Amino acid sequence: MSASTTSPNNDNNTNNANLFLALRAGFPAAMHECAVQTDSGLEYSWQDLDEATAMLANLLQSLNLPHGARVAAQVEKSVEAMALYLATLRAGLVFVPLNMAYQSAEMAYFIADAQPALLVCSAANFVWLSKLAFGAGCEYVFTLNDDRSGSLLERAAAFPRQHAVAQCTAQDLAAIIYTSGTTGRSKGAMLSHGNLLSNARVLQAYWGWTGTPRDVLLHALPIFHVHGLFVAIHAALISGSKMLWLARFDPRTVLALLPQATVFMGVPTLYVRLLAEPGLDRNAVRNMRLFISGSAPLLIETFQEWQRRTGHTILERYGMSETIMLTSNPYFTETGPRIGGTVGQPLPGVQLRATDAQGSTVGVGEIGDIEVRGPGVFCGYWNMPEKTAQEFSADGYFKTGDVGRVDANGYVTIVGRSKDLIISGGYNVYPAEVEGYINALPGVAESALVGVPDADFGEVGVAVVVLKSGSTVQPAAVIAQLKATLANFKVPKRCYVVAELPRNAMGKVQKNVLRERYEKS
Ligand code: MLC
Ligand code: AMP
């Protein structure tokens, strides 16, 4: 991955596997047209996107960072934040997006693990984050705020608006996405330019982003994770589709903008909250061609109610940070119906099987562990070769940790998870991590975090805590202390103090018993 800076925009297209090049090839010829329109009234043309990413990429390359250097970003959602991602690709560096909800202990871990050469953060967090970053050997810390201020853009302004896209192979890393770990330690999933581009192209074709007529994507998801950053943005850019850009999800704003849009992507909570709006009807969605749901299970009630209210059938798909998108319900009716409660069929190029405890493929309709192989499957966990090896079968299938069945027509239904994971509002919460924090609180002997159903978030965490003898810690204090330490979506919604945790004969905490006990709490 060496930067080719021979002449402005003189890209060697033929042998360059840089994802940015493929995305930019989708931009329309009319570069002055609007590419992104924000909810704060700003408009960015395709030319603006090209020039902004060129300036930022020139800035990044001026830092002379080594091959494979990481650019970590913990910034609010903005078009400039997206441009930073695209510029990182363009410069041939590795992007590490970090959720704004992460607090200091979480950020300290990510920075120590990813060892970024450059960190971009909001000015409000500069003092403590730069201290952390410089302490961990990071060379540069720039700021970027959601009002387009900050040192990143100030510096980039001095650089040319042309930039020759850095030469990359398909195997070169494009991004590291942190996913929470079963042991409590987050793992960085390494994704290559080839992983991301293959998935973008498959989704472009499978979901009918033909470019004629051009789609308009209503983008309301955060851009720290796979769904909002890759699935949504890549699809729009590679097909030259305009984006209506919401800094954060707000059901009323979505409703007001829907008549201008043709495609919407959301986690199930977004659909639940939109259904609570009386204005959601057939008229509001009159120009839409596609609603896509993923990242968490879509309840059949939500699927059916959406059909009733809007006349549209939500297309549910399934994927992971480690694999990008794996399965999808059909878009084109020739491929088959969209079946509620299923996540559809494996996407072209994806091999998917359900296996038993011995690793043999189970029969049609039987439940097993979902394993996958395909061009989107990641290159491994950053700095964790042993963990990576454990997660693959001998014949190269990645063990997703999801449990499901495959019917005679290849439709996959996810029925549960073998990994101890709670998905709350589309965000993953690993109980082991939260339990670690609870157990470290003064007066706490041990704890268990379980996921229980929730009408809004799908699932939420409930903490069950055993105190040390003589301790008088109150549940509210446990929650308050976690709020001060952990990303908000990881904080249990409720906490109970009990005398002891239920255990089986092996001494293992019976989380199923706790789930049953507290599901209606
Ligand atoms: C916010 N809160 C959450 C939460 N989000 N709690 C649990 N789960 C969540 N997801 C907390 C807040 O801190 C607050 O706590 C309270 O809940 C209510 O806040 P809110 O204002 O209603 O939250 P809001 O800002 O509206 O956020 C909800 C949301 C957001 C659903 C819009 O969580 C979101 O954007 N989720 C999308 C996540 C996503 O993009 N996932 C894709 C991952 S990629 P309190 O106590 O302070 O009131 C992936 C792969 C794939 O999974 O297949 O796509
Ligand atoms: P993440 O680690 O954030 O990428 O989350 C990936 C996990 O989200 C998967 O392993 C699944 O457990 C879950 N997931 C994603 N899409 C769906 C879906 N449509 N239905 C059920 N679970 C899903």
Side-chain angles (χ1 to χ4, degrees):
M1 189 160 48
S2 61
S4 57
T5 46
T6 44
S7 66
N9 281 0
N10 179 16
D11 305 317
N12 174 8
N13 293 9
T14 41
N15 293 317
N16 192 350
N18 191 309
L19 168 66
F20 180 79
L21 207 52
L23 297 177
R24 197 183 57 185
F27 289 13
M31 291 285 280
H32 61 279
E33 282 180 3
C34 181
V36 190
Q37 183 186 316
T38 72
D39 53 354
S40 54
L42 297 174
E43 289 207 358
Y44 298 74
S45 68
W46 296 96
Q47 186 76 31
D48 292 334
L49 284 191
D50 189 36
E51 291 182 358
T53 55
M55 292 159 87
L56 285 164
N58 281 319
L59 164 63
L60 295 178
Q61 286 189 333
S62 76
L63 304 176
N64 288 319
L65 304 177
H67 174 89
R70 274 81 55 213
V71 175
Q74 193 199 30
V75 291
E76 293 287 0
K77 180 179 177 182
S78 68
V79 178
E80 288 71 23
M82 172 177 71
L84 173 63
Y85 161 57
L86 297 172
T88 306
L89 294 176
R90 193 169 179 159
L93 299 168
V94 182
F95 193 63
V96 185
L98 296 166
N99 196 319
M100 275 305 281
Y102 295 142
Q103 302 206 46
S104 56
E106 293 155 314
M107 288 299 289
Y109 173 78
F110 293 126
I111 290 171
D113 192 62
Q115 294 276 301
L118 164 63
L119 172 71
V120 183
C121 65
S122 64
N125 292 338
F126 179 80
V127 172
W128 66 271
L129 265 177
S130 59
K131 198 168 159 212
L132 251 181
F134 292 135
C138 180
E139 286 172 74
Y140 302 95
V141 180
F142 296 157
T143 57
L144 174 63
N145 304 311
D146 57 1
D147 61 358
R148 297 192 289 169
S149 64
S151 60
L152 179 79
L153 299 182
E154 280 163 22
R155 283 169 185 256
F159 284 85
R161 291 160 191 266
Q162 290 86 27
H163 169 267
V165 177
Q167 189 74 30
C168 286
T169 69
Q171 291 73 40
D172 280 331
L173 287 194
I176 297 177
I177 304 292
Y178 276 94
T179 78
S180 304
T182 36
T183 56
R185 280 187 67 203
S186 281
K187 300 165 291 181
M190 299 188 286
L191 294 159
S192 66
H193 285 258
N195 290 146
L196 296 173
L197 179 56
S198 62
N199 211 246
R201 286 207 199 289
V202 163
L203 296 179
Q204 182 187 10
Y206 208 77
W207 292 344
W209 299 78
T210 59
T212 43
R214 289 200 183 277
D215 274 304
V216 178
L217 172 71
L218 184 38
H219 193 304
L221 286 164
I223 58 168
F224 321 115
H225 301 283
V226 163
H227 199 162
L229 185 64
F230 300 149
V231 185
I233 289 176
H234 293 172
L237 296 183
I238 208 166
S239 61
S241 304
K242 175 175 162 177
M243 283 187 263
L244 302 175
W245 187 264
L246 267 61
R248 55 194 57 78
F249 172 74
D250 170 64
R252 299 235 164 108
T253 314
V254 169
L255 214 54
L257 289 172
L258 271 177
Q260 298 172 45
T262 63
V263 182
F264 179 79
M265 294 186 193
V267 300
T269 299
L270 271 51
Y271 287 99
V272 168
R273 292 189 183 181
L274 282 166
L275 280 169
E277 290 297 319
L280 181 80
D281 58 18
R282 286 174 190 246
N283 187 42
V285 302
R286 60 190 175 274
N287 294 318
M288 291 292 293
R289 74 170 179 88
L290 182 57
F291 287 97
I292 300 170
S293 175
S295 307
L298 181 73
L299 290 181
I300 191 74
E301 293 80 7
T302 311
F303 175 86
Q304 288 168 344
E305 182 63 3
W306 194 268
Q307 261 177 338
R308 198 183 66 74
R309 289 270 293 278
T310 68
H312 277 268
T313 304
I314 297 175
L315 178 157
E316 185 171 3
R317 59 56 176 184
Y318 156 66
M320 296 181 73
S321 302
E322 288 93 333
T323 61
I324 327 296
M325 296 303 102
L326 292 166
T327 72
S328 172
N329 271 280
Y331 172 67
F332 295 105
T333 44
E334 308 87 87
T335 324
R338 285 178 215 162
I339 304 178
T342 82
V343 293
Q345 298 154 316
L347 286 162
V350 173
Q351 292 155 278
L352 181 147
R353 66 190 185 193
T355 62
D356 62 18
Q358 285 70 45
S360 306
T361 304
V362 299
V364 169
E366 286 177 27
I367 290 174
D369 294 320
I370 303 287
E371 298 185 353
V372 295
R373 212 158 61 168
V377 175
F378 72 140
C379 316
Y381 293 113
W382 173 255
N383 279 341
M384 292 186 184
E386 282 162 21
K387 184 75 194 154
T388 304
Q390 278 169 20
E391 302 298 325
F392 282 86
S393 68
D395 55 350
Y397 278 75
F398 174 65
K399 301 172 189 169
T400 63
D402 293 307
V403 176
R405 55 170 181 265
V406 186
D407 75 10
N409 296 316
Y411 281 72
V412 179
T413 303
I414 307 289
V415 300
R417 301 170 203 129
S418 57
K419 53 193 172 190
D420 193 10
L421 164 71
I422 299 167
I423 304 185
S424 184
Y427 282 136
N428 289 2
V429 180
Y430 271 89
E433 182 188 6
V434 181
E435 288 160 4
Y437 280 92
I438 301 176
N439 296 348
L441 296 175
V444 171
E446 60 172 349
S447 65
L449 186 81
V450 291
V452 299
D454 180 78
D456 184 29
F457 290 121
E459 216 177 351
V460 291
V462 170
V464 187
V465 177
V466 177
L467 299 183
K468 285 183 181 153
S469 113
S471 163
T472 55
V473 174
Q474 297 298 308
V478 172
I479 292 191
Q481 290 181 79
L482 292 176
K483 269 194 181 174
T485 325
L486 279 174
N488 55 22
F489 59 88
K490 296 181 194 168
V491 177
K493 297 289 180 220
R494 295 185 286 283
C495 176
Y496 297 92
V497 171
V498 296
E500 59 181 359
L501 297 173
R503 292 183 187 274
N504 64 15
M506 312 290 291
K508 204 167 177 280
V509 175
Q510 292 172 302
K511 289 208 166 174
N512 53 335
V513 172
L514 290 175
R515 267 190 289 273
E516 272 169 37
R517 195 176 292 167
Y518 293 104
E519 71 183 356
K520 297 207 173 67
S521 64

